[in-house]
Structures are given as C-alpha cells and as structure tokens.
Amino acid sequence: MIQHQTSNSCGNYNYNAFLYSDISYSAHFHKNYELIYVLKGTVELSVNGKPDVLKPGEMILISPYAVHSFAVDGKSKIWVGVFSEDFVLSFSKANSQISYSKFKCGLKQEAFLKEHLFFQGQPELYLAKSCLYLVCSECLKHAVAFDMKSSDEFRNRVIAFISENLSDEITLGSTAAALGYEYHYFSALFHRCFNMHFKEFINMFRFEFACEMLLHTKADIAFLAVECGFQSIRNFNRIFKKFSGHTPTEYRKQLQSED
C-alpha cells in the first residue's frame, strides 16, 4: 500500500530535517519537496517506480506527490529535508513538470550547504531559502520530467486532486470527469497505478488527515468528520476504527495520555 504522509502535506513554511542511518521508508508521497543527501555509504531508492542508488556526496530532489521509497543500512548515513513549496515558490511554479533530480554539487556549493543546511534542525528562514534555491539551481541541470506517456503524470494528478478536494464528496466518476478521463478507462488506470480500490484509497487519505487533526487541533469530532470529508460521525468512527483499531475519541485520549 502506498502511504500518504499527511504531516508532510500541510502547513505554510513546513520544514523538517533529520539525520538517518539504518532506516527504510516504504512507498509514500506527500505535498512537500524532499531532498536526500548522502553523507556516507549508499542509499537504495525508487521514485515513481524507477530504482536508483545514491553515493556519498550525491543528492536527489523529489517533487511534490512523487511516490518514493528508500532504504539505508547501518553503515550509511543520510540527511533528509522535507519542505513546503513556499520556500522555493518561484522554482515550484515554473517547474511543475519535474519528477525528480539526482545530482552532485560543486565543492564550493556543497561546502556551503554542509555548513548552513545539512544538519538536524531548522536554519533561519532566509538562509534556508538561499540554500534551497541553490539546490534548485543545481537540480535544473539534471532534472527528470514526468513521463507523460507513463503512469507518472496520471498518479500525480490523481493525488493532487484528492489532496485539494478531500473535504468534498469524491467519487471515482467525479474524479475521472474532473481530470478529463472516460470512467472505465480511468478505473482501469487507477487500479493499475495504485493496486487498490478507489474508495479504500480515499478512506486512507481521510483517515491520515484525521489523525493529523486529532494530534494538532482540539476541534470536536463532529467538525473533524465534516472537515475530513466523512458523510457522518458514524461513518467516521467506522472507517477510523478499521484503520487504527480505535474510534477517533479513543485515539485522541490515547494521544493525550502519552503527553
């Protein structure tokens, strides 16, 4: 199953950076950009079904909604930064066709990034912007565009549409129409790309969005049900319990007990 990381899909100037070793993430996507830089060892990764390996000093910039996964063994170490598009808005608006870019900076650029960006924590806003625009400049020299003849573009359009309309009623038919596809062709293409039923995919999105809202807001359950696109509190409880084993109320109490 492809996971939607909602924590990396919301908020203005959302930025998180971590140092990882001996870790793996299965196929997932989010609205934010993701930058991976290899400090030592190697990283096996896949972006939109295309496998690759990163070596020391190499980095990859992964665009919003691209499905990706990676694995790092105990002998390797990487820096991973995930940031919303408002950090690099001019680049984002002009280069929405880019799927990902794998590259290696010059020595001076790499030294600058090591000093001001490649650490666990958040740099000052304008310094972060300058570093990330430097990355974007290098990215453009090696960027790989979405393959319009493959499932890349379809997958990203579907994910973007669902993410932006989650609180509305979304059906397979309405999504196909909004994206300009014939119903049966869209259905077949969706199953081939995501390997799951459309309704299950929507419910997964809504569940993950609800988890984020339960964690970060004090909104009541009735409001959350509507905001996440569920038809009723009863339906909200049923689907939430299916994915988590708990009702939304039980889940929130569990979160509060862990604080």
Side-chain angles (χ1 to χ4, degrees):
M1 180 182 289
I2 300 172
Q3 182 188 7
H4 175 210
Q5 288 187 343
T6 51
S7 59
N8 290 323
S9 294
C10 56
N12 295 323
Y13 287 105
N14 185 312
Y15 178 99
N16 291 290
F18 304 95
L19 295 170
Y20 287 130
S21 183
D22 194 18
I23 194 171
S24 63
Y25 276 95
S26 58
H28 65 282
F29 64 88
H30 40 70
K31 189 178 180 181
N32 293 350
Y33 284 93
E34 182 163 332
L35 177 64
I36 300 175
Y37 171 72
V38 182
L39 292 152
K40 69 173 184 178
T42 59
V43 181
E44 295 182 358
L45 54 83
S46 174
V47 182
N48 283 336
K50 299 178 177 64
D52 209 334
V53 176
L54 291 184
K55 299 176 182 178
E58 292 184 328
M59 61 188 83
I60 187 168
L61 181 64
I62 302 169
S63 294
Y65 300 120
V67 176
H68 56 287
S69 61
F70 66 83
V72 188
D73 62 31
K75 297 178 182 179
S76 302
K77 188 174 183 180
I78 64 171
W79 177 92
V80 178
V82 183
F83 57 95
S84 52
E85 68 174 356
D86 36 19
F87 279 92
V88 290
L89 195 57
S90 297
F91 169 83
S92 177
K93 286 184 176 180
N95 297 283
S96 60
Q97 82 285 359
I98 292 176
S99 173
Y100 67 93
S101 180
K102 173 186 171 182
F103 54 94
K104 191 170 185 177
C105 289
L107 294 177
K108 289 184 179 179
Q109 293 95 325
E110 186 176 19
F112 181 81
L113 293 172
K114 278 185 174 181
E115 180 179 357
H116 299 294
L117 187 69
F118 295 149
F119 58 87
Q120 187 160 312
Q122 185 162 2
E124 185 272 328
L125 175 61
Y126 291 109
L127 183 56
K129 282 191 169 187
S130 66
C131 289
L132 293 172
Y133 268 111
L134 170 59
V135 168
C136 291
S137 176
E138 294 297 311
C139 157
L140 287 175
K141 300 174 185 177
H142 309 277
V144 176
F146 288 114
D147 184 352
M148 300 302 227
K149 294 181 181 180
S150 75
S151 59
D152 290 359
E153 176 67 7
F154 175 81
R155 182 188 294 111
N156 283 270
R157 289 184 69 202
V158 170
I159 290 171
F161 177 81
I162 292 173
S163 297
E164 292 164 6
N165 297 277
L166 200 59
S167 61
D168 300 329
E169 184 177 355
I170 304 173
T171 65
L172 193 148
S174 65
T175 305
L179 298 179
Y181 289 91
E182 188 275 329
Y183 178 90
H184 294 95
Y185 177 72
F186 178 85
S187 178
L189 199 53
F190 180 88
H191 283 280
R192 192 172 76 210
C193 284
F194 294 101
N195 195 31
M196 62 191 305
H197 292 293
F198 184 82
K199 190 172 183 180
E200 188 78 358
F201 191 71
I202 297 295
N203 286 339
M204 179 190 73
F205 257 80
R206 288 178 169 151
F207 164 74
E208 290 168 345
F209 183 47
C211 286
E212 285 296 310
M213 294 193 72
L214 287 166
L215 177 62
H216 296 296
T217 76
K218 296 182 179 179
D220 64 43
I221 301 302
F223 174 83
L224 287 179
V226 173
E227 191 70 10
C228 297
F230 293 98
Q231 298 293 318
S232 64
I233 294 179
R234 181 179 179 182
N235 193 41
F236 183 24
N237 285 335
R238 180 182 63 81
I239 292 171
F240 198 95
K241 192 166 187 177
K242 176 182 176 181
F243 281 102
S244 70
H246 302 280
T247 66
T249 301
E250 292 168 346
Y251 182 82
R252 174 174 272 170
K253 286 181 180 179
Q254 188 177 44
L255 290 174
Q256 292 171 344
S257 68
E258 293 172 356
D259 290 342

